[in-house]
Amino acid sequence: MTESDKNASGTLIIIGGHEDKDGKRLILHEVAKHLRGGKLVLATVASHEPEGYFETYQKAFGALGVTEMTELYVQERAETLLPEKQALFDGAAGVFFSGGDQLRITSQIGDTPLEARVHEIFAAGGVIAGTSAGASVMSETMLVRGSSSESHRIGDLHMAPGLGLIRDVMIDQHFGERGRIGRLLGAVAHNPRMLGIGIDENTAIVVHAGSFRVIGAGAVYVLDGAGVTYSNIADGGQNSALSLTDVRLHVLAHGDSFNLGTRRPNHAPDVESSHELELNQASDT
């Protein structure tokens, strides 16, 4: 976690997908709370067919008191230079990235005036939210594709630069529902410095000032590879199953919080307590 991440004044709400839009709307209510009555830009850039997205979210957010919304969609990258596209961000208190294909977001608005406006809103204390593909794109390095529901094969993972709103983590979504722990382990094996965060559907992490808390119906999985002692990621064949030892896993639920600087859940004892329990177990066998 860099010093700039700790000092960032904005809030990220990173959603695992399929958030409730008709019932209690717990996650969308969190977004609305951070808007404080301000304008929301709904970025439907991730979708190849964005029709209907804006109307659905306009209805859901409208019931929560968000009365000023506008839609950002970019068909071609050159459109990011249009003054009318850039003006959509004027006076905005937040941006919400809907689902689809995360590569559409980075390829269309990455390193453009529109991405700069997103970062400006965040730096000014605004809220940036994203669901599904809109969640994956938040990180500096994002997962693009890889097999789900099976053990990870070394060559079966594709990553790309994200928007860099949160650093030193990689995010996967629809996590428990699609059995994606294998591919997140593969991502962590590629770069143990980075935390892997898997977020279930209708679940989110609310990130602010170097820590996050969990809200929603599912779980959040944090994979920490800093203590990994062995992996075959560099030496195994493309179709070889991943071998990885001493990776640490945290499973967090609604109300739990996590410090990204210390890489520890806030409610957990020091990691030394875990090590002592391991030693006691080893001495008993």
Side-chain angles (χ1 to χ4, degrees), residues 225-249:
V228 163
T229 54
Y230 168 81
S231 85
N232 66 343
I233 198 75
D235 301 318
Q238 292 289 295
N239 294 318
S240 298
L242 175 68
S243 176
L244 190 67
T245 61
D246 294 316
V247 63
R248 187 171 292 274
L249 169 66

Side-chain angles (χ1 to χ4, degrees), residues 16-284:
H18 291 314
E19 67 283 359
D20 175 21
K21 303 180 187 66
D22 303 308
K24 294 182 179 180
R25 302 180 180 93
L26 176 67
I27 294 170
L28 297 187
H29 187 275
E30 186 75 19
V31 177
K33 181 180 75 173
H34 285 277
L35 287 170
R36 300 184 181 88
K39 173 182 172 182
L40 177 65
V41 176
L42 181 71
T44 57
V45 185
S47 178
H48 294 278
E49 298 178 354
E51 290 78 11
Y53 276 80
F54 182 73
E55 291 75 16
T56 298
Y57 279 105
Q58 187 177 42
K59 179 181 177 181
F61 277 116
L64 298 172
V66 180
T67 58
E68 188 176 4
M69 286 183 63
T70 187
E71 181 180 11
L72 170 71
Y73 187 73
V74 175
Q75 184 67 46
E76 301 294 343
R77 185 175 171 84
E79 295 175 29
T80 63
L81 301 175
L82 298 175
E84 57 265 34
K85 294 290 185 182
Q86 298 173 33
L88 293 173
F89 291 91
D90 292 349
V95 181
F96 189 106
F97 287 95
S98 60
D101 180 353
Q102 52 263 44
L103 272 178
R104 280 213 88 251
I105 300 175
T106 55
S107 65
Q108 298 304 313
I109 73 167
D111 198 26
T112 72
L114 299 189
E115 184 191 12
R117 295 300 301 271
V118 172
H119 282 268
E120 287 170 7
I121 291 169
F122 181 56
V127 57
I128 310 297
T131 185
S132 190
S136 290
V137 80
M138 296 283 188
S139 54
E140 186 178 18
T141 301
M142 66 178 183
L143 297 178
V144 176
R145 64 180 63 91
S147 297
S148 301
S149 301
E150 60 186 57
S151 296
H152 179 67
R153 301 290 165 175
I154 290 175
D156 186 27
L157 187 67
H158 300 272
M159 293 182 282
L163 296 182
L165 290 159
I166 179 171
R167 299 182 183 277
D168 299 330
V169 307
M170 291 173 288
I171 296 162
D172 210 348
Q173 17 76 12
H174 303 285
F175 195 71
E177 292 78 8
R178 300 186 185 178
R180 288 180 164 172
I181 192 165
R183 76 178 195 176
L184 191 58
L185 282 166
V188 169
H190 274 83
N191 192 346
R193 176 181 62 84
M194 304 182 77
L195 290 169
I197 301 179
I199 308 174
D200 285 350
E201 294 176 358
N202 197 26
T203 309
I205 60 172
V206 182
V207 187
H208 182 74
S211 67
F212 71 76
R213 59 186 172 87
V214 179
I215 60 173
V220 171
Y221 299 75
V222 182
L223 293 173
D224 187 351
V228 163
T229 54
Y230 168 81
S231 85
N232 66 343
I233 198 75
D235 301 318
Q238 292 289 295
N239 294 318
S240 298
L242 175 68
S243 176
L244 190 67
T245 61
D246 294 316
V247 63
R248 187 171 292 274
L249 169 66
H250 306 284
V251 184
L252 310 175
H254 180 84
D256 290 338
S257 60
F258 190 91
N259 188 308
L260 291 164
T262 63
R263 302 168 77 102
R264 295 288 294 165
N266 287 326
H267 61 279
D270 292 339
V271 71
E272 287 76 15
S273 297
S274 175
H275 294 160
E276 186 174 348
L277 289 169
E278 291 173 344
L279 290 173
N280 286 340
Q281 178 64 30
S283 65
D284 291 340

